[in-house]
Amino acid sequence: MCGIAGWLSWERNLIESQSVLQKMTDTMAKRGPDAEGLWFDGPIGLGHRRLAIIDLEGGLQPMVAGHNNGRARATITYSGEVYNFSELRQELLQRGHNFDTHSDTEVVLHAYLEWGLSFADKLNGIYAFAIWDINEQSLTLIRDRMGVKPLYYYPTQDGVIFGSEPKALLANPLVPAKVSADGLREILEMVKTPGHAVFDGMYEVLPGEVIKFTRTGSSKHRYWRLEAQEHSDSLEQTIQHTRDLLEDIVERQIVADVPLCSLLSGGLDSSIITALASKKLLEAGKENIRSFSLDFADHGTGFVGDAVRGTPDAPFVKDLVSMIKSSHGEIILDSREMADPELRHKVIRALDLPPAFWGDMWPSIYRLFEEIKKHSTVALSGESADEVFGGYRWFHDPEAIKAETYPWLTSVTGKYFDGKTLFNDAFLSTLNMDEFLKDSYSQAIAETPTLPGESPLDQRMRQMSYVNLTRFVQTLLDRKDRMSMAVGLEVRVPFCDHRLVQYAFNIPWEMKSFDGREKSILRAATRDLLPESISLRVKSPYPSTQDPDYEKALRSAVSNIMADKASPILPLLDHRRVSDKLAISLGSNSPMYDRMGMELAIGLNSWMKEYSVELNL
């Protein structure tokens, strides 16, 4: 993984603006701590920061390839991993291409030279990159199918500015840190609108999208999107094909020239990935997988189950480690540290946005990755299995299924995503959140592919899957990417392999839940890999601290905001509501969902100060 940045300006010779591109590229230093490079050619400037994973000595970027009469034909700045690069390399060798490195970057560049824009159809991986075609004088931006790797762009009067994260674009003086009502709506609701980037005038390349810029304008097309297809496999065939896909996916994703590990929570998803990685490594005669789990230090309060997390993770982690004999490390975090202003500042700088929901999870993930980075450079994650196989409780709640809104915002779970409780009515009225949600949901449903003759239940569950895969999982993937890359750790997500996503998307709901439980197909396909305790375990999300000292720190931070007349968020808050909240909470520990308002207020205030955000309401 790496960080990229670039600037196309048809009216400039960008070598004269080298200092600007250098500043843009410097913002990506934590994404790529191992090397940097700049490249210029008239109106284009490309920047790169490298996190070396494959071919540590080669693979320096921006990379130039394809010489005609001594002249280069194309240059790439690339972030990500292409897992089938070895097969593509062999095919390109047979077609007469020569390679100077063993990197996947060079394979991607030569694939473009061989097949043009259709080469994107051949890639299997997580990536975001830009290619400058010297002969055509064109710039192409491409993002992976599920949007695992980020790529932002800001059209200008004479070109475009782009980068892996908003901070790269904001380092260019042409890109202001202005945010309108549309951007604030994205922050305040747990809904990520595809293509939206919060800052005015800034966009995100859609998952599976190609954008091409020439002197005459720009064009876009999607080279991949979810499709509705007839599922003809029997239950037994479906279970076997799911297993076959998982075996192939994990085998591809354990390839690295640096230390590899797995993130293990003791839940079904991370345990499957860890067990499969262990199996594949041992079959190849390599060292067993190294795994890491997270827990919080006990400050006088043991684990208490609630409606979200019924059981602690540690016993299940021990069950899997005992079974597969992985080299395991348990990372213990101090929950009081999660409210530390300096740590939260790092989170905001990594994200370029306020962490809106379940605020203690962002700093804890940051610290987890920070500790893992001391031992590994690549980690495998079980992220996204719930979206792919229907694991969340709202997939199985009749009220959520019937609701004409995003299922995670319905009565059972909606309180866990509501951070608007401390804002004043005038501000919320200006944003018209209800209309925003209604329009957003209608757009998502209208996009959902349909299958002629599909039963009403299958059609509805397809809609449920679609909104989870396009509006919910993106927030989690962003969190994983920003927190990991901020410490130079690459996190791979096997469950986001497009082949698996597409296949599972079309499994009829009755088959997908054939045993009456969540993720039935996934459980059946992997039961032999896991201890029974994990195969039968009910979904339990990423741990959130239950330490009362954490909320005390939150209350203190909110009090400081209210006492500081320069706090930019003050005009947006309902001061009476804040006072009442602080008085009621004092001396007690609120449920996790009751902290959302404080966490969002703290994050939004810090973000507005850090980025000198100009609100345009």
Side-chain angles (χ1 to χ4, degrees):
M1 300 303 171
C2 306
I4 69 173
W7 184 7
L8 172 64
S9 176
W10 297 112
E11 297 178 2
R12 302 171 191 249
N13 181 356
L14 281 182
I15 190 65
E16 298 173 1
S17 300
Q18 180 173 346
S19 62
V20 175
L21 185 61
Q22 184 68 62
K23 289 178 181 178
M24 294 172 62
T25 305
D26 287 346
T27 67
M28 298 291 96
K30 291 184 177 180
R31 292 187 73 95
D34 297 328
E36 72 166 343
L38 300 180
W39 184 88
F40 297 91
D41 181 30
I44 186 73
L46 302 177
H48 189 267
R49 293 289 312 209
R50 187 185 187 205
L51 176 64
I53 303 294
I54 301 290
D55 188 6
L56 306 187
E57 298 302 320
L60 296 178
Q61 299 185 51
M63 182 179 288
V64 183
H67 295 270
N68 278 348
N69 299 322
R71 292 195 59 200
R73 289 175 56 197
T75 304
I76 189 172
T77 182
Y78 167 88
S79 169
E81 301 289 342
V82 168
Y83 303 126
N84 64 333
F85 79 96
S86 294
E87 297 99 304
L88 290 174
R89 191 174 194 271
Q90 284 302 120
E91 185 174 355
L92 289 165
L93 284 170
Q94 293 172 4
R95 290 172 174 264
H97 289 256
N98 297 311
F99 293 91
D100 298 320
T101 75
H102 297 284
S103 69
D104 60 334
T105 304
E106 189 176 16
V107 171
V108 171
L109 184 52
H110 278 264
Y112 168 77
L113 295 174
E114 177 66 30
W115 294 296
L117 293 183
S118 65
F119 85 109
D121 297 326
K122 296 178 175 290
L123 305 181
N124 178 300
I126 53 177
Y127 46 81
F129 55 88
I131 294 178
W132 174 251
D133 190 308
I134 297 171
N135 293 353
E136 280 191 2
Q137 292 285 285
S138 67
L139 174 71
T140 300
L141 305 181
I142 299 181
R143 193 177 181 202
D144 69 69
R145 294 169 178 83
M146 286 295 291
V148 178
K149 290 289 103 182
L151 184 54
Y152 294 84
Y153 67 102
Y154 184 92
T156 63
Q157 288 186 343
D158 72 329
V160 66
I161 297 164
F162 65 90
S164 294
E165 298 176 9
K167 62 173 65 68
L169 285 67
L170 293 169
N172 190 306
L174 296 181
V175 183
K178 291 183 178 180
V179 177
S180 65
D182 284 341
L184 286 171
R185 294 185 188 107
E186 295 287 325
I187 291 172
L188 296 184
E189 286 292 359
M190 181 63 180
V191 177
K192 183 174 170 63
T193 304
H196 204 290
V198 175
F199 293 97
D200 288 358
M202 190 183 296
Y203 304 92
E204 200 169 7
V205 178
L206 292 171
E209 185 176 45
V210 175
I211 308 180
K212 185 174 181 178
F213 299 88
T214 66
R215 287 186 181 274
T216 58
S218 64
S219 60
K220 304 177 181 179
H221 78 269
R222 299 286 291 275
Y223 68 93
W224 185 87
R225 66 176 77 223
L226 283 167
E227 296 180 354
Q229 298 172 346
E230 190 74 36
H231 185 82
S232 58
D233 289 351
S234 67
L235 175 60
E236 292 74 17
Q237 290 171 328
T238 300
I239 292 170
Q240 185 59 53
H241 188 61
T242 298
R243 174 60 173 266
D244 292 343
L245 281 171
L246 287 169
E247 294 257 0
D248 181 69
I249 291 164
V250 172
E251 186 169 14
R252 292 177 182 276
Q253 296 197 23
I254 59 174
V255 176
D257 294 334
V258 293
L260 170 81
C261 73
S262 177
L263 308 177
L264 177 60
S265 71
L268 180 70
D269 313 331
S270 66
S271 297
I272 290 170
I273 298 304
T274 303
L276 276 172
S278 172
K279 176 177 178 286
K280 291 298 180 181
L281 287 168
L282 293 175
E283 287 176 351
K286 298 180 180 179
E287 287 187 15
N288 203 347
I289 189 71
R290 183 161 195 176
S291 55
F292 290 95
S293 62
L294 165 72
D295 207 345
F296 289 100
D298 183 358
H299 297 295
T301 57
F303 177 87
V304 178
D306 58 26
V308 176
R309 296 186 70 234
T311 54
D313 291 336
F316 299 93
V317 169
K318 291 178 181 177
D319 286 349
L320 185 74
V321 170
S322 176
M323 180 175 179
I324 68 171
K325 303 295 189 293
S326 65
S327 174
H328 185 72
E330 184 180 38
I331 295 173
I332 306 295
L333 300 182
D334 187 333
S335 57
R336 294 171 295 192
E337 185 187 0
M338 298 306 101
D340 177 64
E342 183 177 347
L343 178 56
R344 288 187 168 249
H345 172 78
K346 291 179 180 179
V347 169
I348 288 173
R349 284 300 302 171
L351 185 62
D352 295 324
L353 293 172
F357 304 97
W358 294 12
D360 66 306
M361 293 186 184
W362 299 79
S364 70
I365 292 176
Y366 185 100
R367 287 286 293 114
L368 171 66
F369 289 159
E370 198 171 42
E371 290 300 312
I372 290 175
K373 174 61 178 178
K374 296 176 182 178
H375 310 280
S376 299
T377 307
V378 176
L380 301 177
S381 167
E383 193 84 86
S384 305
D386 290 300
E387 291 82 2
V388 173
F389 288 98
Y392 292 121
R393 64 173 53 199
W394 50 77
F395 279 99
H396 308 271
D397 173 35
E399 293 302 315
I401 293 172
K402 290 189 298 184
E404 295 183 1
T405 189
Y406 292 108
W408 54 91
L409 299 181
T410 53
S411 58
V412 174
T413 53
K415 60 187 177 183
Y416 293 99
F417 301 107
D418 187 6
K420 303 185 294 295
T421 55
L422 299 184
F423 294 104
N424 64 57
D425 293 338
F427 169 59
L428 294 176
S429 177
T430 299
L431 298 182
N432 198 354
M433 298 300 294
D434 289 342
E435 193 66 24
F436 163 71
L437 277 178
K438 181 180 178 181
D439 291 345
S440 174
Y441 181 70
S442 296
Q443 177 185 340
I445 294 300
E447 289 176 12
T448 306
T450 59
L451 190 65
E454 197 166 44
S455 71
L457 175 62
D458 280 330
Q459 183 181 47
R460 177 56 185 151
M461 297 314 294
R462 186 184 295 280
Q463 293 171 344
M464 293 274 285
S465 295
Y466 187 83
V467 298
N468 275 270
L469 290 167
T470 62
R471 266 63 172 185
F472 187 82
V473 75
Q474 291 298 320
T475 298
L476 306 185
L477 292 174
D478 283 352
R479 180 177 68 183
K480 187 85 70 182
D481 174 83
R482 303 306 192 282
M483 297 303 101
S484 62
M485 294 307 295
V487 300
L489 176 71
E490 172 181 311
V491 176
R492 298 176 178 177
V493 278
F495 285 112
C496 279
D497 185 290
H498 69 280
R499 298 169 297 163
L500 182 65
V501 174
Q502 177 66 31
Y503 185 74
F505 181 65
N506 286 292
I507 300 174
W509 183 250
E510 184 177 348
M511 183 182 291
K512 195 178 284 188
S513 57
F514 71 90
D515 62 359
R517 292 207 55 185
E518 73 281 7
K519 294 183 283 196
S520 304
I521 295 292
L522 187 59
R523 290 179 193 276
T526 57
R527 187 169 285 116
D528 63 301
L529 295 171
L530 308 173
E532 186 179 27
S533 60
I534 294 176
S535 288
L536 298 177
R537 190 184 183 192
V538 175
K539 165 69 182 174
S540 185
Y542 181 88
S544 178
T545 180
Q546 297 182 329
D547 190 341
D549 285 338
Y550 174 71
E551 185 172 342
K552 291 178 183 178
L554 290 181
R555 293 199 303 267
S556 177
V558 173
S559 296
N560 291 339
I561 289 173
M562 301 305 291
D564 182 2
K565 294 182 179 179
S567 297
I569 200 176
L570 285 181
L572 310 182
L573 296 176
D574 185 312
H575 293 215
R576 173 67 63 85
R577 228 175 258 166
V578 174
S579 298
D580 291 346
K581 168 63 182 173
L582 293 177
I584 292 172
S585 297
L586 192 61
S588 64
N589 190 39
S590 300
M592 178 175 61
Y593 59 80
D594 204 30
R595 305 192 306 235
M596 298 297 174
M598 291 190 292
E599 289 172 329
L600 181 53
I602 294 167
L604 189 60
N605 189 71
S606 299
W607 172 67
M608 292 174 69
K609 290 173 65 175
E610 174 70 23
Y611 287 79
S612 301
V613 174
E614 179 184 339
L615 294 184
N616 183 23
L617 299 177

